Amino acid sequence: MIAAVPHHGDLSDFLTLTDGLSVARVADILRCCTRTVRNYAAGRSPIPWHRIELLRLLKRESTAAAPRAESPSNNSDVGVTANIEPDPAAPDVPPAEMLAWVGVHAPHYLSSQRSFALYVRGWNVVDKIRRAKDEGTFAGVLARWRVLAAELPKTWRSGRIWNDIGPPAYNTA
């Protein structure tokens, strides 16, 4: 007797596997449009089982490839330093780690200290970093940050639109 193959995946599995990734990144991984990913996340569209399996395989590969013995607070080699105050409620998560997390998952929020602070507070970044450290996936975030920090646009903050928003959340070395 042949076992029935499920046609659709679980929404909870999808949300767990895409936690911390942007909609655009998930769409790129799954080779679909961002609207499809938003429909999956909102529960408006059924999620094909093969997309869940693809995310599961990629997650397994990324955790296997991530170096485990790294010092998470050593971001001095990236050429970018945090220009933000440490969170007094979270002494175990230094500004450099928050900067790395936001730089990987939502780099457009690095444009000003205000937008960075709103993102960190609104999306519970400190809790996400703690969970990633517990799961052993934070080293992968730091590895991706080292690559992205080297490519931060030099002219990102030029023009009239940036006049009154304050300094960015980082300094380039």
Side-chain angles (χ1 to χ4, degrees):
M1 183 166 202
I2 299 175
V5 176
H7 293 291
H8 300 96
D10 263 352
L11 177 61
S12 61
D13 289 341
F14 180 77
L15 294 175
T16 301
L17 292 168
T18 59
D19 186 36
L21 296 175
S22 68
V23 172
R25 179 69 182 132
V26 174
D28 186 45
I29 290 169
L30 297 178
R31 305 247 192 259
C32 63
C33 66
T34 56
R35 180 180 287 172
T36 302
V37 174
R38 286 190 189 102
N39 286 339
Y40 290 162
R44 291 187 294 261
S45 296
I47 306 164
W49 66 270
H50 65 276
R51 293 205 165 159
I52 299 284
E53 290 304 314
L54 176 63
L55 289 170
R56 194 170 280 128
L57 287 171
L58 290 173
K59 183 89 161 188
R60 186 178 302 150
E61 286 177 1
S62 68
T63 56
R68 303 256 183 213
E70 267 184 63
S71 170
S73 59
N74 185 13
N75 287 331
S76 60
D77 59 335
V78 296
V80 176
T81 57
N83 189 21
I84 51 176
E85 295 296 319
D87 186 0
D92 59 325
V93 180
E97 291 179 357
M98 288 189 280
L99 182 71
W101 183 273
V102 176
V104 168
H105 297 296
H108 50 283
Y109 284 99
L110 297 178
S111 63
S112 73
Q113 290 177 353
R114 181 177 179 267
S115 65
F116 178 82
L118 290 173
Y119 182 84
V120 167
R121 187 174 45 243
W123 288 98
N124 271 345
V125 169
V126 171
D127 292 336
K128 289 181 179 185
I129 291 172
R130 287 177 180 151
R131 186 175 54 207
K133 285 180 179 179
D134 290 341
E135 294 172 353
T137 59
F138 192 65
V141 171
L142 292 176
R144 287 185 14 216
W145 172 240
R146 284 187 187 90
V147 173
L148 293 173
E151 299 171 0
L152 276 176
K154 310 288 188 270
T155 60
W156 203 31
R157 294 179 47 82
S158 62
R160 291 181 307 173
I161 195 169
W162 302 105
N163 281 348
D164 295 322
I165 67 165
Y170 62 89
N171 290 326
T172 54

